[in-house]
Amino acid sequence: MFEEYLTLEIGNNTTKDYLLAIAFIVIGILVVRIFKKTFLQKIKKLTQKTSTNFDDYLIEAIEKFVIPALYISIVFFGIKTLTISGGFRDIISNAHKVILAYYIVRLVSNVLILLLKTWVKEQENGEEKVKQIGGIILIINVLIWGLGILFLFDNLGYDVTAIVTGMGIGGIAVALAAQNILGDLFNYFVIFFDRPIEIGDFIVIDDKNGVVEKIGIKTTRIKTLSGEQLVVANSDLTSSRIHNYKKMQRRRILFGVGVSYETNSDDLKKIPGILKEIVNHQKPITFDRAHFKEFGDSSLNFEVVYYIEDAAYNTYMDIQQQINFEIFDKFDSMGISIAFPTRTLYLRNENDQELKINSITNPEKVDKAKD
């Protein structure tokens, strides 16, 4: 009775053929699962002890793409043990090729991107640089998927040579029509490899400034200080003079202060030392010089130079503000007047008598007085 059941024919295959096909599929899946649970898990534990993360990502990629491809292949070969019509066999075979091509492309793409990210992370400021490789990842995916599709078409029996020729002619036409886009793409690679700017840098381009938010394959996006987003073509960016303040290790500060002409000589000679002492109170700074620079139109001008060992603009403003407070307090305690714009004019009246007018701050008022 059992033997009769095994020899029962259904759709050109006996029950025994179906059972053998099912057994092949089940055993194959079990073998793959055992491999995944034992050998692959042991390798995974070993890779977790290594200093690099690439091997961890590689094992993860095998779990995501190789293992499912093996499951699909086992089912396919199990079905192939049966006697099936030519048309259905071709459909199954083509479906298997498509699925395998998908997983192979995904695996190759992930491995290449992981290699790229690992290499970028090893560079200086690697974590920041990883954020700006989105354009390269997109290009890698396009190239790999394009090659994968050509490979698939070749295996499906299509004339790949004709397809490549057509793509070449079409590519020339597209290149001619999209010269600006290709120029921006080329400059994206220039920005990535030459690294004049990176995400998070504060830059000034002509009269525009802001923090770099995103570097794309065609444009770079900058968050300006006033809050709006500035979009700049990569070609315009690389052809401009860029001031990158994040690259600045220290900031050189030059400022001046003027005192009135009524300041006596002894106090005047003390001022450079006073300015040096005030600047040296601040941290973290390196004092350079303080000098009586010139006789101005309405003031005796002093010039001070120092370096801030910090590139942050807020740190500079905090230090300069404190210096200004201390200069004002010190000069006030010494009776030294900080100068303001003044002018001394000599006028003659109708009797040819001179009249001296001091400390005139608004020349327009004097003109009215003469009238």
Side-chain angles (χ1 to χ4, degrees), residues 100-353:
L100 277 185
Y102 168 79
Y103 281 113
I104 290 172
V105 169
R106 290 289 305 275
L107 177 63
V108 173
S109 173
N110 274 263
V111 170
L112 289 178
I113 290 171
L114 288 174
L115 283 171
L116 176 63
K117 287 184 176 180
T118 302
W119 175 75
V120 171
K121 284 182 178 179
E122 291 175 354
Q123 310 301 310
E124 184 181 358
N125 299 323
E127 293 297 333
E128 290 296 326
K129 291 185 177 67
V130 169
K131 298 177 183 178
Q132 66 186 66
I133 63 174
I136 293 180
I137 290 175
L138 176 62
I139 294 170
I140 289 174
N141 280 324
V142 170
L143 291 175
I144 293 175
W145 277 100
L147 292 173
I149 291 171
L150 288 176
F151 177 79
L152 175 62
F153 283 172
D154 184 58
N155 279 271
L156 293 176
Y158 292 95
D159 186 2
V160 177
T161 305
I163 296 175
V164 173
T165 303
M167 290 176 63
I169 297 172
I172 294 173
V174 171
L176 292 173
Q179 293 183 48
N180 292 336
I181 296 175
L182 293 177
D184 290 329
L185 176 62
F186 175 78
N187 283 288
Y188 167 77
F189 286 106
V190 171
I191 293 172
F192 179 77
F193 289 106
D194 193 46
R195 297 181 304 195
I197 61 170
E198 296 173 1
I199 293 175
D201 288 1
F202 181 83
I203 63 174
V204 176
I205 311 166
D206 299 328
D207 60 338
K208 307 296 182 182
N209 57 59
V211 178
V212 179
E213 280 192 323
K214 181 182 178 182
I215 301 174
I217 60 176
K218 187 181 188 308
T219 61
T220 295
R221 290 166 174 79
I222 300 169
K223 190 76 169 181
T224 65
L225 293 179
S226 54
E228 73 272 15
Q229 186 180 73
L230 177 66
V231 181
V232 184
N234 291 335
S235 298
D236 294 338
L237 195 64
T238 54
S239 62
S240 302
R241 290 177 174 83
I242 303 172
H243 299 265
N244 192 332
Y245 284 90
K246 191 175 181 181
K247 304 294 183 183
M248 182 170 55
Q249 301 299 317
R250 63 191 327 215
R251 186 185 293 267
R252 182 178 185 269
I253 307 302
L254 182 150
F255 75 95
V257 59
V259 299
S260 67
Y261 271 90
E262 283 74 21
T263 306
N264 62 61
S265 177
D266 291 338
D267 287 342
L268 203 63
K269 293 174 182 178
K270 294 178 183 177
I271 289 177
I274 293 170
L275 293 173
K276 178 180 179 180
E277 183 181 357
I278 290 173
V279 171
N280 277 329
H281 283 166
Q282 315 306 316
K283 301 294 179 183
I285 66 98
T286 300
F287 177 80
D288 185 14
R289 63 181 177 83
H291 291 100
F292 177 24
K293 179 184 178 183
E294 62 185 359
F295 294 90
D297 292 339
S298 57
S299 63
L300 303 172
N301 296 328
F302 290 81
E303 186 175 79
V304 183
V305 177
Y306 66 93
Y307 294 91
I308 298 178
E309 307 301 330
D310 189 328
Y313 187 78
N314 284 350
T315 301
Y316 152 60
M317 287 304 299
D318 290 341
I319 290 174
Q320 186 60 51
Q321 176 180 252
Q322 187 59 33
I323 289 173
N324 293 339
F325 285 151
E326 293 188 23
I327 290 174
F328 188 89
D329 291 341
K330 186 67 176 179
F331 283 11
D332 185 59
S333 66
M334 294 177 63
I336 298 174
S337 299
I338 296 176
F340 53 87
T342 60
R343 181 177 300 171
T344 300
L345 300 179
Y346 291 87
L347 306 178
R348 289 183 179 276
N349 59 18
E350 293 179 355
N351 298 322
D352 202 29
Q353 294 177 336

Side-chain angles (χ1 to χ4, degrees), residues 27-36 67 70-71 74:
I27 293 171
I29 291 174
L30 287 175
V31 170
V32 174
R33 288 182 64 85
I34 291 170
F35 168 80
K36 179 181 177 182
I67 299 299
L70 288 175
Y71 287 147
I74 289 169

Side-chain angles (χ1 to χ4, degrees), residues 21 24-25 29 69-80 92:
F24 177 86
I25 294 172
I29 291 174
L70 288 175
Y71 287 147
I72 297 296
S73 296
I74 289 169
V75 173
F76 169 73
F77 287 115
I79 294 174
K80 279 192 70 175
I92 295 296

